């Protein structure tokens, strides 16, 4: 896994642990330095348990919180949702609105899994999350890209062996 933020690059391991109504996410480098430790709730709220000083900026914390919440909880439980079908490809798109803007969730018609998440603001796209899978099951990698912030996160699943 790797995080590119401004001119810094961090690579390491991202651990995600389900805790009932929340998920605890820990990112550490290969040498064991903790980058961040956050807890994400289904409601969209999150709690920062630790963040490396170099990344501990309000805009970065908010972006990380929104990114991980969207990645973990693709479709909100509350709020307005609308199901559409993309012309030409036939892909199903779930459009929903919440306090952070509008999100579009594209569902793969063959696997029934999420292919892409897009969050838009008032005038522009803010965020794109793409899920890549070679097996059609769980994603092998996830790419999180921002349009208005120099933040890119690339997650790669480790082999089960």
């Amino acid at each position: 896994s790797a995080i590119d933020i401004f001119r810094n690059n961090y690579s390491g391991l991202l651990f995600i642990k389900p805790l009932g109504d929340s998920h605890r996410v820990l990112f550490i480098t290969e040498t064991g330095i903790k980058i961040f430790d956050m807890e994400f709730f289904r409601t969209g709220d999150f709690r920062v348990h630790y963040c490396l000083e170099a990344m501990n900026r309000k805009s970065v914390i908010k972006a990380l919180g929104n990114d991980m919440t969207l990645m973990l909880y693709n479709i909100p439980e509350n709020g307005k949702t609308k199901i559409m079908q993309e012309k030409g490809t036939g892909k199903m798109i779930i459009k929903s609105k919440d306090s952070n803007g509008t999100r579009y969730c594209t569902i793969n018609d063959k696997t029934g899994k999420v292919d892409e998440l897009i969050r838009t603001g008032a005038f522009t796209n803010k965020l794109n999350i793409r899920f890549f899978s070679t097996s059609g099951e769980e994603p092998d990698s996830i790419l999180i890209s921002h349009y208005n912030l120099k933040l890119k996160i690339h997650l790669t699943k480790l082999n089960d062996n």
Side-chain angles (χ1 to χ4, degrees), residues 51-77:
C51 187
L52 186 70
E53 189 175 336
M55 287 183 60
N56 202 354
R57 298 181 185 172
K58 203 174 209 177
S59 61
V60 173
I61 296 292
K62 184 176 180 182
L64 275 174
N66 290 335
D67 295 355
M68 294 294 159
T69 301
L70 184 59
M71 183 183 74
L72 293 167
Y73 309 110
N74 310 141
I75 302 166
E77 290 184 356

Side-chain angles (χ1 to χ4, degrees), residues 25-37:
V25 177
L26 172 68
F27 184 65
I28 61 171
T29 65
E30 290 96 348
T31 57
I33 298 171
K34 188 176 358 178
I35 304 296
F36 65 81
D37 179 1

Side-chain angles (χ1 to χ4, degrees), residues 59-111:
S59 61
V60 173
I61 296 292
K62 184 176 180 182
L64 275 174
N66 290 335
D67 295 355
M68 294 294 159
T69 301
L70 184 59
M71 183 183 74
L72 293 167
Y73 309 110
N74 310 141
I75 302 166
E77 290 184 356
N78 51 8
K80 293 184 175 183
T81 58
K82 180 179 179 182
I83 299 175
M84 304 175 289
Q85 196 162 15
E86 192 175 74
K87 290 180 182 173
T89 65
K91 286 186 178 181
M92 184 171 59
I93 299 172
I94 301 172
K95 176 183 175 184
S96 58
K97 292 186 178 193
D98 60 18
S99 61
N100 292 318
T102 304
R103 67 172 79 170
Y104 298 88
C105 179
T106 304
I107 308 293
N108 185 311
D109 54 340
K110 293 180 181 87
T111 63

Side-chain angles (χ1 to χ4, degrees), residues 40-46 62-76 94 96 98 100-106 114 116-120 126-131 142-146:
F40 301 94
F41 300 91
R42 196 170 286 283
T43 59
D45 298 323
F46 61 91
K62 184 176 180 182
L64 275 174
N66 290 335
D67 295 355
M68 294 294 159
T69 301
L70 184 59
M71 183 183 74
L72 293 167
Y73 309 110
N74 310 141
I75 302 166
I94 301 172
S96 58
D98 60 18
N100 292 318
T102 304
R103 67 172 79 170
Y104 298 88
C105 179
T106 304
V114 176
E116 183 175 29
L117 295 162
I118 298 172
R119 179 177 296 285
T120 61
K126 289 182 167 182
L127 171 69
N128 181 300
I129 302 176
R130 300 221 26 173
F131 297 84
I142 300 171
L143 180 63
I144 302 172
S145 304
H146 282 261

